[in-house]
Amino acid sequence: MPYDPASTPIKPYIPATADLPEFTIRALVMGVVLGMIFGASSLYLVLKVGLTVSASIPVAVIAITLFGMFKKMGGRESTILENSITQTAGSAGESLAFGLGVTMPAIMILGFDLEISRVMLVGVLGGLLGILMMIPMRRTMIVEQHRELKYPEGTACAEVLKAAATETSRAAAGEVREAGSSAARDASRRAAIIFGGFGLGLLYKVANVSLKGWKDVANFEFGAPLKAGSAGAEISPELVGVGYIIGPRIALTMAAGGVLSYLLLIPMIKFFGEQLAVPVSPGTMLIKDMSPDDIRDAYVLYIGAGAVAAGGLISLVRSLPSIWKGLKGGLAGMGKGAPAASSLRTDQDIPFKWVVIGCLAIIAIITVATPLHMNLLGALLILVFGFLFATVSSRLTGEVGSSSNPISGMAVATLLFTCLIFLVLGWTGGQYYVTALSVGAIVCIAASNAGTTSQDLKTGFLVGSTPRLQQYAILCGAFASALILGPILLKLNDAGTVYVPAAQVAPGITVDAAKLRETAQLQGPQAQTDNKTYKVWRKVGTAGGPEGKYLVGDDGKLAYLVDPGINGHHNTRPDGTEVKKYDAPKAVLMSYIIKGILDQQLPWTLVLFGVMIAVVLEMAGVQALAFSVGVYLPLVSTLPIAIGGTVRWAADRRNSKLPQYADLTAEERTAAGDRSSGTLLASGYIAGGALAGIVIAITAGVLTNFDSMMAKWAEGSNPFFAGPNADLLSLIPYAAIVLLLYWVAREKARK
């Protein structure tokens, strides 16, 4: 409802007159470190499945626990305001990771190297721009529209902070709570759950992947009459955790898209194409000789990309009323600034003049930064789209939460308009690939961070934080996370890169090596057997072999195809060792849009098939974006997410029958589920499993001999890893963590 000035004002938990420690060094440092950790795990997730989950509540719980440990060691107890600062700084990593993971890998998919300077510049500038653009809208969206915009994750996080408030904070709030009370015990229990989930996820992943305890993917391929159909699951704790947190509706919808791909589209293409005597473009092999993965790579990926693009744009169009409303509110809010020296601590923002100066400085840096290949038009597009979508993201986050905020749809819209403008101006070719993508990447990160900033400011509004100090904290957290996420992104790509002998994929091709200026050497394990320096040739088109980056000898003969870890297709090195690849679905979509518009190189028939899938779903009343992402992703990634969502459904259904849920509305029951023990354990699974995956991927090149030794042992002696029953046996440890999640999510009846 519209804001009513006569309505009862909201009283924060800590009054504005209270004087408690807030922006302390320890709170900021802990928040920055936790932001880096959860940013790294979120980056891992967005490269695997194209989505992330909010890190606010896990960061808050960990901060409360660590500060409690410091107190037991003789230190000063923390205040709720310090915990709020830690949570605010720590939440920046997740939103940055989403923006970077959605956009930056597309640079490499388009045939360019993923330069560290470019990645870090995009992360830093986009993150800071989004935060600064949201600050002038705080009073309108957070204060005046408090009852209209709920900001579900921010509100839930405030409840967690208040439930674990220390004695000093309770005294300032005028709350009396006995020592050893149920609230105090509950805070300790919640901390134990999230740390236990983190440890279990970490140990599970290490035992599974490093020690080869059991297969990490259980897959079953069908024969006639469903030839080429398959179903499987990556049995990892982090994907189960993601499914639990996003809930059954989105999780099962994503899996339904995977079922369409793997149990309908791929078998159908196999059925109709098996008798053909010629390859069907864009494929280069006979369909009868294709495996299910070959069919997916050649045809279904384009169908999925079309569905995702259409789903994202439809979700954006559906949000147009909110976009217009939010834009008007944001512009109005910019003219309602409180006095610079507001007497209320809880009403102090970073001064507006510094916000304007900061935004203009960022735009100036974007314009002149060489790695971004930017021009004045691109910088102006960033300014316009950045403000538009930062406003939109802030409002939509308040209405539907971070998980349902269509950030990728905003990035798609930005890229579409940018590429169309470039096409009209005749700006095509490689240089403008990078310019267009830099525009989309910075806008995507800015919109994502603006939404996260809004959630944090809502939390601070409810607990009584100082907005200005929260804004400083998230600026610091975003800057620090951007510095570390770039190197992690490159390391994950390098760890999965395979140098494929050119004779296997592009035999007989030679080039004029004298005309090639760029040089490179092999990186990672394969560099141990070949330390030569080669010339670099970037092949365009698929004639004679796949396009991409090749290493060329001085004689002009191709030596290797460089198959990247992100969106690569070769999973085995020449010595037989396997590597993990990352699908990066949203980044692939961005690359398709750029190539499709600027160079018109897409197989539009397949893309339009995907568009029609999204349209049909919307006509049937089903929101198409989640389903479309499932069409694009491997079923082995979406099925475990569906399992996590099913566990959430079962736990919530059981808990809703308890007395304490009897008088709650559906919205209140969902909010209670978001604060539940199951959510905390799932968050621990995500952080532990994802961080273990990052460490394992990065150290794979260092521990090559150990990995080969364990693989050799497991293939010969471990029935859980190899053999006729390995797929079924590997489900046993997986079932254990799934059942544990359900058991922990069950609540006890309270009167």
Side-chain angles (χ1 to χ4, degrees), residues 402-422:
S402 296
S403 299
S404 301
N405 191 2
I407 298 293
S408 56
M410 300 177 199
V412 167
T414 300
L415 267 184
L416 281 172
F417 287 118
T418 301
C419 289
L420 288 172
I421 292 172
F422 283 12

Side-chain angles (χ1 to χ4, degrees), residues 260 302-311 314 604-620 622 624 627-628 631:
L260 178 73
Y302 294 104
I303 297 174
V308 173
I314 291 170
W604 285 103
T605 302
L606 295 175
V607 172
L608 289 175
F609 287 163
V611 170
M612 293 312 303
I613 288 175
V615 171
V616 168
L617 287 170
E618 292 288 343
M619 292 174 65
V622 178
F627 185 94
S628 301
V631 173

Side-chain angles (χ1 to χ4, degrees), residues 121-122 125-130 133 359-360 362-369 372-391 414-415 418 421-422 434-447:
L121 267 175
V122 166
L125 298 175
L128 299 184
L129 186 65
M133 285 182 166
C359 288
L360 293 177
I362 290 172
I363 295 299
I365 294 172
I366 289 171
T367 306
V368 301
L372 301 181
H373 294 265
M374 193 57 63
N375 51 39
L376 182 59
L377 176 60
L380 291 175
L381 290 173
I382 288 172
L383 186 63
V384 173
F385 286 124
F387 178 74
L388 169 65
F389 289 132
T391 305
T414 300
L415 267 184
T418 301
I421 292 172
F422 283 12
V434 180
T435 304
L437 190 57
S438 296
V439 172
I442 293 174
V443 170
C444 180
I445 294 169

Side-chain angles (χ1 to χ4, degrees), residues 344-518:
L344 287 179
R345 174 184 60 80
T346 53
D347 196 34
Q348 296 176 355
D349 290 297
I350 293 176
F352 183 66
K353 68 175 183 179
W354 294 115
V355 172
V356 173
I357 291 172
C359 288
L360 293 177
I362 290 172
I363 295 299
I365 294 172
I366 289 171
T367 306
V368 301
T370 304
L372 301 181
H373 294 265
M374 193 57 63
N375 51 39
L376 182 59
L377 176 60
L380 291 175
L381 290 173
I382 288 172
L383 186 63
V384 173
F385 286 124
F387 178 74
L388 169 65
F389 289 132
T391 305
V392 171
S393 176
S394 297
R395 183 170 186 89
L396 289 182
T397 300
E399 292 181 344
V400 301
S402 296
S403 299
S404 301
N405 191 2
I407 298 293
S408 56
M410 300 177 199
V412 167
T414 300
L415 267 184
L416 281 172
F417 287 118
T418 301
C419 289
L420 288 172
I421 292 172
F422 283 12
L423 185 63
V424 170
L425 295 174
W427 293 355
T428 59
Q431 175 185 345
Y432 296 105
Y433 284 178
V434 180
T435 304
L437 190 57
S438 296
V439 172
I442 293 174
V443 170
C444 180
I445 294 169
S448 181
N449 243 27
T452 298
T453 302
S454 303
Q455 293 278 21
D456 294 332
L457 291 174
K458 181 72 164 187
T459 300
F461 173 69
L462 294 173
V463 303
S465 298
T466 306
R468 172 175 52 83
L469 299 181
Q470 281 190 284
Q471 291 154 10
Y472 288 146
I474 197 167
L475 284 168
C476 293
F479 182 80
S481 294
L483 294 181
I484 193 174
L485 290 179
I488 289 176
L489 179 62
L490 267 66
K491 286 295 183 183
L492 288 176
N493 178 65
D494 291 343
T497 296
V498 174
Y499 296 89
V500 184
Q504 297 180 12
V505 292
I509 296 180
T510 59
V511 297
D512 186 354
K515 295 182 179 180
L516 303 177
R517 295 290 177 263
E518 186 181 355

Side-chain angles (χ1 to χ4, degrees), residues 233-266:
E234 181 178 336
I235 48 180
S236 61
E238 63 269 21
L239 296 185
V240 172
V242 168
Y244 187 94
I245 290 177
I246 66 176
R249 184 179 64 84
I250 296 177
L252 291 171
T253 301
M254 286 179 64
V259 169
L260 178 73
S261 289
Y262 281 79
L263 296 177
L264 177 62
L265 295 181
I266 291 176

Side-chain angles (χ1 to χ4, degrees), residues 35-65:
M36 292 177 175
I37 293 173
F38 278 90
S41 64
S42 296
L43 181 62
Y44 181 81
L45 284 179
V46 79
L47 292 177
K48 285 180 71 68
V49 293
L51 51 80
T52 61
V53 294
S54 175
S56 296
I57 291 178
V59 169
V61 171
I62 292 174
I64 292 165
T65 305

